[in-house]
Amino acid sequence: TGKCYHTLRGHTAEIVCLSFNLQSTLVATGSMDSTAKLWDVEKGEEVATLRGHSAEIIALAFNTTGDKIITGSFDHTVAIWDVVTGREQNVLDKMPTNNNVVAKYELQKNDPYLSLQLWNAMTGTHIATLTGHRNEVLDVCFDFTGQRIVTASADGSARVYNAETKECIAKLEGHGGEISRVS
């Protein structure tokens, strides 16, 4: 119908990312104001404000069970939050998702382009480095089962990796320019 059910207000700067939980009962928003907010979709009300980052939140996602939200910030950290309490549970320094695995793209000293780094979100242990793009990686996401990871790159391609073996199982090409988002 195109009817607007709710207008969510509360951030003091632009919203740059958002994500629904799998049940579509909550939506999370990340903002240039360095906070993330959780919203009740049905009521249109703020449930929690997640504070802890010192810079803009540029990426966020719920885990597959919906009890955690992971935020990535320009402060070069990834934070894992408890959805029920709104409390920060873990911060991964210089490290967005599967239940316990976080993917982050960061510049490697020996690689002029960006690589994808996989981390265990609960322990902070580095799992793997995924490479192959000819230009920087601009986005990454897991499928809902946590079995595949897809990357978007400024080289105009997307790659699909097997999350268990860390092998590239598909290279998707055909865009004339960069791919900035994947889902």
Side-chain angles (χ1 to χ4, degrees):
T1 65
K3 178 183 175 187
C4 176
Y5 288 98
H6 303 291
T7 300
L8 308 176
R9 299 185 197 284
H11 285 290
T12 59
E14 297 87 354
I15 295 170
V16 295
C17 53
L18 64 85
S19 179
F20 281 92
N21 67 350
L22 191 57
Q23 301 81 10
S24 295
T25 56
L26 293 174
V27 66
T29 54
S31 174
M32 299 294 278
D33 67 9
S34 303
T35 68
K37 291 184 180 285
L38 299 176
W39 307 87
D40 181 296
V41 172
E42 188 68 29
K43 297 176 184 173
E45 296 174 353
E46 182 181 322
V47 175
T49 298
L50 312 179
R51 290 185 174 87
H53 286 291
S54 61
E56 299 90 337
I57 294 176
I58 57 168
L60 53 76
F62 284 91
N63 66 347
T64 55
T65 56
D67 63 336
K68 308 254 186 309
I69 183 129
I70 296 90
T71 55
S73 171
F74 272 143
D75 67 8
H76 303 287
T77 64
V78 171
I80 296 100
W81 308 82
D82 181 272
V83 169
V84 174
T85 66
R87 290 198 175 116
E88 189 176 81
Q89 292 189 317
N90 199 356
V91 175
L92 307 177
D93 188 33
K94 295 195 187 267
M95 305 214 196
T97 261
N98 186 353
N99 275 340
N100 294 326
V101 178
V102 171
K104 184 189 184 288
Y105 25 97
E106 68 180 19
L107 186 62
Q108 299 300 298
K109 291 180 183 175
N110 300 330
D111 184 352
Y113 304 112
L114 294 178
S115 310
L116 176 72
Q117 303 297 317
L118 293 178
W119 303 84
N120 181 302
M122 297 304 140
T123 66
T125 305
H126 182 263
I127 297 170
T129 301
L130 307 181
T131 60
H133 284 291
R134 297 180 314 276
N135 207 329
E136 60 188 328
V137 175
L138 300 174
D139 196 24
V140 61
C141 82
F142 284 86
D143 69 357
F144 285 118
T145 66
Q147 296 177 4
R148 292 191 181 97
I149 307 163
V150 64
T151 57
S153 174
D155 68 12
S157 74
R159 291 178 178 260
V160 180
Y161 296 88
N162 178 305
E164 185 177 336
T165 67
K166 316 308 182 268
E167 293 179 47
C168 179
I169 56 176
K171 185 176 179 183
L172 311 173
E173 297 180 299
H175 286 280
E178 73 180 28
I179 301 173
S180 58
R181 289 285 196 219
V182 288
S183 178

